[in-house]
Amino acid sequence: LRGMVTNKKLSSEGRINVIYALKYWPVLDAISLQGSLMDDSDPEVASAAEKVLRENFGIDDSADKQTLKDMLWEIQNKPPMEIIRDLIVVQRTKQAQQIKTITQLSDDRDVWKKKYLEELDKDFSASDQAGKNKMLLEKLQGNLADEKIWALGKISSFSMTISDDVRQAILKCLTDQAGSVRLMAAKVLSSK
C-alpha cells in the first residue's frame, strides 16, 4: 500500500482509494503515511489524506492543518493499543451521533406522516361519493404502503358503496409487497 500510495505514476483516483484502504489499518505506520500525504503535490490526494485523518480522529473541519499535524506528532509517542482505543472512542461517538440523527429524522418523518394523513382525512370527509371512490382508488393504486393502509382503513370503517375499480384494487392489495397492506386488505375483504 505504501508503494502504491506514494507512486506518482498511479492516478489520483487510485492513490485516493489506497488512502481510504489505509483508513481501516489503525497502525502507526499507516497513520504516519496518511500524515505525510497531507503535503502531497497532488491536491486531491492531499485533501483525501487530510479528510481521512480528520474522520478517524474526530477532528473538526474548522481546525487548521497544523492542529492535525500536532495531533499526529502526539500519536507518534502512543503505544499501538492506545491509538486503537482512541480510534474506537471516536467511532463510537460518531455512531452515537448518527443514531441520534436517525432517531430525529424518524420522529420528524412520523410527525409529517401524521399531518399528511390528517389532511387526507379532511379531503376525504369533504368529498362526495364519487370523489371518495376516486380518492380511494388513487391511494390503493399508489406506491406508498401507508396510503394504501389509510384507504383500506376508510373502506373498513365507513359503510359506503365502493366502485368495481376499488374492489379490484383491494384484491390487488392481497399481493402487495408490504405485508401490512396484504393483512389489511385481507381484513377488509373478510369483514365486507
Side-chain angles (χ1 to χ4, degrees):
L1 291 174
R2 178 184 293 278
M4 291 173 68
V5 81
T6 57
N7 183 355
K8 303 285 185 178
K9 293 179 184 174
L10 191 64
S11 70
S12 295
E13 185 179 318
R15 293 176 70 204
I16 289 169
N17 286 339
V18 174
I19 288 170
Y20 283 110
L22 289 170
K23 175 181 181 176
Y24 299 104
W25 189 32
V27 295
L28 188 56
D29 289 343
I31 294 167
S32 297
L33 181 57
Q34 290 168 345
S36 67
L37 290 170
M38 286 194 315
D39 296 322
D40 195 86
S41 58
D42 184 334
E44 290 179 28
V45 170
S47 176
E50 183 177 339
K51 180 181 176 190
V52 164
L53 286 169
R54 287 181 184 277
E55 286 175 5
N56 273 356
F57 290 98
I59 297 175
D60 195 284
D61 288 340
S62 62
D64 63 355
K65 207 177 211 179
Q66 187 57 46
T67 303
L68 194 53
K69 288 181 179 182
D70 292 345
M71 184 264 323
L72 288 172
W73 179 253
E74 288 176 24
I75 288 174
Q76 302 289 332
N77 300 320
K78 289 184 176 184
M81 289 309 292
E82 195 173 331
I83 293 170
I84 292 171
R85 188 185 74 234
D86 290 349
L87 290 170
I88 289 171
V89 167
V90 169
Q91 294 305 316
R92 284 184 179 160
T93 303
K94 247 194 250 183
Q95 184 182 27
Q97 183 59 41
Q98 288 172 340
I99 289 170
K100 183 178 177 184
T101 302
I102 289 169
T103 302
Q104 181 62 47
L105 289 171
S106 178
D107 292 346
D108 289 349
R109 180 204 61 214
D110 291 345
V111 166
W112 285 106
K113 182 171 96 173
K114 182 180 177 196
K115 287 183 180 197
Y116 171 68
L117 294 176
E118 287 171 355
E119 288 301 314
L120 282 180
D121 285 339
K122 288 179 187 175
D123 291 346
F124 186 79
S125 296
S127 298
D128 61 2
Q129 184 67 33
K132 287 179 180 178
N133 274 307
K134 181 181 176 190
M135 192 174 188
L136 291 172
L137 182 62
E138 179 185 297
K139 299 309 176 194
L140 289 171
Q141 292 176 338
N143 294 326
L144 300 176
D146 288 327
E147 285 184 341
K148 291 177 184 180
I149 290 170
W150 173 86
L152 290 165
K154 291 298 177 197
I155 293 167
S156 69
S157 63
F158 288 105
S159 57
M160 56 182 280
T161 306
I162 56 173
S163 67
D164 287 336
D165 291 338
V166 173
R167 281 190 188 91
Q168 293 302 315
I170 295 170
L171 289 172
K172 191 169 182 180
C173 285
L174 290 172
T175 60
D176 196 84
Q177 288 181 342
S180 55
V181 172
R182 292 191 306 265
L183 179 63
M184 187 69 167
K187 286 180 180 177
V188 168
L189 288 172
S190 68
S191 67
K192 294 287 182 183

